[in-house]
Amino acid sequence: MSKRGWRNLDESDVRVRPGRGSRPRSKQRPKHSDAAEAMVIAVDRGRWTVALDGDPGRVVTAMRARELGRTPVVVGDLVGVVGDVSGKPDTLARIVRVADRASVLRRTADDTDPYERVVVANAEQLIIVTALADPPPRPGFIDRCLVAAYAGGLAPVLCLTKADLADPGEWIATYSSLDMPITITSLDAEPDELRDMLSGRVSALVGHSGVGKSTLVNKLVPAAERATGEVSGVGKGRHTSTSAVALALPGDGWVVDTPGIRSFGLAHVTADDVIAPFEGFAEAAEECPPNCGHLGGTDDPDCYLDTYAEQEGGSSDQLASLRRLLRSRAGLDEA
């Protein structure tokens, strides 16, 4: 596993209680230079399952050390563990440090909720799983997942399932200007193209219940045996996964199966977060007026992105797609 910056307390973090001299409070964090590196692969009721050195064959159960306080530890986090790391039944190690995150997939309950929920840490890709039928696609949800991916530093991939029930052509055309990989799967075929995209990487899968996400996971990781559920008559799926879990892919790589969700709040995302991954438009946005939302039209009439698209080689189709994402982030389109 690669070395990363560890979050440790320094002397400025040590608090002194009156009448107790300079004894540090329990929040002081020792360096633990002998801690073993591991990746969190599951969280359940105050216990973390970790894979030592990212090896799925060396799994240990751990608790969060007191000195970490309320430091959040989620699936995908790279951590340091001490204590009994044998992995034997009834043994328990301690998580004593958490590495800086390379990427974070966050969501809020809605667009007004100030509390961010970290879904997955350190994933390289976000696989947005959407059924072409039963239930029908919801472009607002896709757009919000794209916004969350761009803001969190994940590369998005659109996975259109149930191609045996509907033609994917319309949706391929809708998202083609974003230069995003799109893969098509069907119920009666192996997802070989998706399997190649996931190989050697840490990827998170997100999607509404009923779109076939758990079915995909079972094909990608046969040993996973994730529960699958039937889609109800009104086109809404039954929740079949209740917590995020990282599953080792045959060969190399990890896939994080996340619970089916009905909404993806983006209260934590700014307009510039959405544009940042698109180099040309990100540079052009620096010429916009302060607090520009980059929506154009009557909302942002002086937005410089229009000039960039018309005169400086920017793609008008890509700008239209970016603005669709920005409208979704702002809650101006149905999600």
Side-chain angles (χ1 to χ4, degrees):
M1 296 174 65
S2 61
K3 298 290 184 182
R4 297 177 182 270
W6 296 104
R7 283 178 261 160
N8 288 297
L9 298 183
D10 55 30
E11 292 180 359
S12 64
D13 295 303
V14 179
R15 300 180 182 181
V16 179
R17 296 182 180 180
R20 297 198 179 188
S22 60
R23 186 179 67 179
R25 295 181 66 177
S26 60
K27 287 188 176 181
Q28 185 179 17
R29 192 175 309 165
K31 297 301 182 181
H32 290 298
S33 59
D34 59 339
E37 293 187 28
M39 184 180 85
V40 176
I41 60 175
V43 182
D44 182 28
R45 291 174 291 186
R47 294 290 184 268
W48 286 259
T49 303
V50 304
L52 297 178
D53 288 323
D55 182 353
R58 302 174 62 201
V59 175
V60 172
T61 300
M63 61 181 293
R64 180 169 50 193
R66 181 184 301 177
E67 60 260 29
L68 280 182
R70 294 185 177 274
T71 300
V73 185
V74 303
V75 169
D77 266 327
L78 302 180
V79 299
V81 295
V82 299
D84 193 332
V85 295
S86 66
K88 295 179 180 178
D90 301 321
T91 59
L92 196 63
R94 287 186 299 128
I95 297 173
V96 293
R97 60 190 188 191
V98 183
D100 293 335
R101 293 164 175 163
S103 70
V104 179
L105 178 65
R106 296 185 177 96
R107 63 180 287 261
T108 57
D110 54 46
D111 290 343
T112 62
D113 183 6
Y115 181 71
E116 298 178 12
R117 295 159 177 82
V118 179
V119 182
V120 181
N122 297 315
E124 301 169 62
Q125 301 181 117
L126 179 63
I127 314 301
I128 305 167
V129 184
T130 301
L132 291 164
D134 192 27
R138 292 180 59 184
F141 180 79
I142 298 173
D143 291 345
R144 283 175 166 259
C145 289
L146 286 170
V147 169
Y150 293 138
L154 292 80
V157 175
L158 181 58
C159 177
L160 300 173
T161 65
K162 305 185 183 181
D164 45 326
L165 302 180
D167 185 355
E170 173 188 352
W171 301 101
I172 293 175
T174 298
Y175 291 97
S176 60
S177 63
L178 293 177
D179 194 26
M180 168 182 60
I182 300 176
T183 183
I184 314 298
T185 70
S186 59
L187 295 172
D188 57 354
E190 287 294 316
D192 292 332
E193 184 178 51
L194 177 61
R195 186 177 285 113
D196 290 341
M197 291 179 175
L198 302 180
S199 179
R201 300 182 176 185
V202 177
S203 306
L205 271 65
V206 65
H208 284 301
S209 293
V211 298
K213 183 164 57 66
S214 292
T215 299
L216 270 181
V217 171
N218 287 338
K219 288 183 177 181
L220 295 166
V221 189
E225 298 181 354
R226 295 292 274 178
T228 56
E230 296 179 357
V231 177
S232 69
V234 295
K236 293 183 179 179
R238 184 159 51 87
H239 283 278
T240 56
S241 303
T242 58
S243 60
V245 59
L247 304 166
L249 292 164
D252 190 19
W254 293 84
V255 59
V256 181
D257 188 15
T258 64
I261 55 178
R262 300 191 187 281
S263 63
F264 217 107
L266 300 172
H268 59 289
V269 178
T270 69
D272 288 335
D273 289 335
V274 180
I275 296 176
F278 299 88
E279 185 174 347
F281 284 104
E283 293 178 357
E286 296 177 1
E287 304 297 326
C288 289
N291 302 317
C292 181
H294 310 302
L295 295 174
T298 58
D299 294 298
D300 298 296
D302 298 322
C303 180
Y304 187 75
L305 300 187
D306 293 289
T307 301
Y308 175 74
E310 293 172 2
Q311 302 178 8
E312 300 182 28
S315 167
S316 58
D317 289 341
Q318 188 173 73
L319 177 57
S321 294
L322 282 174
R323 282 185 167 155
R324 189 185 69 245
L325 301 184
L326 289 167
R327 289 183 64 82
S328 181
R329 180 207 69 87
L332 299 177
D333 291 334
E334 183 180 355

